Amino acid sequence: MIYTTGDTHGNFERFREEYFPEQTSMTKDDYVIVCGDFGGVWDGGKQEQKRLDGLEQLPFTLLFVSGNHENFDLLAEYPVEDWNGGKIQRIRPHVIHLLRGQVFQLQGHSFFTMGGGKSHDIEDGILSPFAEDFREQYLYYRSIGAQFRVNHYSWWKEEMPAIAEMRAGVDALDAVDRKVDYLITHAPPGRVRGLLKTEEDSMMNALAVYFEELSGAVSFEKWFFGSLHIDRQISAKYYAVFSGVQPVWTPETKRARR
């Protein structure tokens, strides 16, 4: 079985058995995929380590792609390894970061992954914690309700995929003749955001354009993304996921397609 969900931001209550009872019939060979803003690697503190240990005790394997709200400095400390056709970072034995621009083979299905996205809550700027007047700037911005973040504390430039990661994604897709079963991303293609008329409508950035090109060049069954913070099937192929845990593939969905 393979399920997906949206941004967890370090809060994993949705994986409690009373909220996700399907897990009682799952094993470590089954997967739940978080579509970005995992937030489980954020401050490196003792409480965070306990939460990660708790995730390791879940009956299934938890996978995630990066969002735009991750501590990329801490993530970079984990070694990269090959796994099921792509590259990963293993946070715990069964808590796994799926790197960008990869194609993974899971239970006989292919998954393309491209985490990352552009923050929309930084229109007033990024503050440097090393600036001499940082405290004054920070307090002032807070007092006026500014939309800002702090570099290497609440914002990292690595939130957006690098050109090399996007090129790696094209190469990985070319290697499978541009055919995959599922795409797992944090951000959606530009046309989907436009259909929903969200507050991010004007953010036609490089990643949105990249996804828009992929949507027309790649053959796929379903595309799941989390950044819009809604649970909604946009069309037969596009799925916005957030707080719910929904099936990507289970034996029941396979029978339903027959």
Side-chain angles (χ1 to χ4, degrees):
M1 292 180 281
I2 304 175
Y3 289 81
T4 187
T5 189
D7 304 10
T8 48
H9 292 287
N11 183 336
F12 306 109
E13 286 293 299
R14 73 190 66 178
F15 300 134
R16 290 173 58 176
E17 189 173 318
E18 58 262 44
Y19 303 130
F20 180 41
E22 292 87 351
Q23 67 185 281
T24 58
S25 58
M26 297 175 75
T27 73
K28 290 296 188 182
D29 292 326
D30 298 311
Y31 305 99
V32 174
I33 309 173
V34 179
C35 292
D37 282 358
F38 172 66
V41 181
W42 186 256
D43 61 24
K46 291 183 179 180
Q47 289 302 313
E48 180 171 279
Q49 298 306 310
K50 290 177 66 174
R51 285 193 295 271
L52 289 170
D53 290 341
L55 294 178
E56 176 62 24
Q57 298 307 310
L58 291 170
F60 52 85
T61 294
L62 186 63
L63 311 175
F64 69 95
V65 297
S66 61
N68 53 298
H69 294 147
E70 312 283 3
N71 187 327
F72 290 98
D73 291 335
L74 286 182
L75 277 177
E77 295 178 5
Y78 289 87
V80 174
E81 61 180 274
D82 294 323
W83 181 78
N84 286 0
K87 296 187 179 301
I88 64 162
Q89 291 171 302
R90 202 178 290 273
I91 312 303
R92 290 291 187 274
H94 298 93
V95 180
I96 297 171
H97 177 207
L98 306 176
L99 295 190
R100 298 168 176 173
Q102 308 296 306
V103 173
F104 296 93
Q105 301 295 327
L106 304 176
Q107 297 183 359
H109 301 268
S110 54
F111 289 76
F112 173 77
T113 58
M114 180 61 76
K118 187 172 179 61
S119 295
H120 65 275
D121 52 359
I122 56 172
E123 61 184 32
D124 294 313
I126 305 295
L127 300 185
S128 170
F130 306 110
E132 292 184 3
D133 60 344
F134 167 72
R135 180 174 173 79
E136 290 78 8
Q137 288 185 46
Y138 182 84
L139 293 176
Y140 172 70
Y141 276 34
R142 287 289 300 272
S143 71
I144 64 173
Q147 297 264 354
F148 76 101
R149 287 186 175 267
V150 179
N151 196 18
H152 292 286
Y153 179 77
S154 58
W155 181 86
W156 287 260
K157 64 180 177 59
E158 290 86 359
E159 69 175 23
M160 282 288 281
I163 294 297
E165 291 173 319
M166 289 192 272
R167 286 175 176 166
V170 172
D171 291 342
L173 288 167
D174 283 343
V176 293
D177 297 324
R178 299 192 177 186
K179 294 179 181 179
V180 292
D181 295 310
Y182 306 106
L183 289 90
I184 303 291
T185 65
H186 181 55
R191 75 175 70 182
V192 172
R193 180 183 289 122
L195 285 172
L196 293 172
K197 301 185 184 303
T198 71
E199 60 183 317
E200 302 176 16
D201 282 349
S202 62
M203 294 176 60
M204 200 60 178
N205 53 63
L207 184 58
V209 173
Y210 177 79
F211 284 158
E212 190 64 21
E213 293 178 352
L214 289 189
S215 68
V218 177
S219 173
F220 63 95
E221 184 174 336
K222 295 179 181 178
W223 186 327
F224 296 91
F225 52 88
S227 70
L228 299 185
H229 287 195
I230 57 173
D231 286 293
R232 187 180 304 173
Q233 181 176 344
I234 311 303
S235 69
K237 287 193 170 188
Y238 296 97
Y239 293 75
V241 293
F242 182 36
S243 58
V245 183
Q246 64 171 290
V248 175
W249 181 89
T250 68
E252 286 71 24
T253 61
K254 181 180 179 180
R255 285 193 291 269
R257 289 202 299 267
R258 288 177 177 173

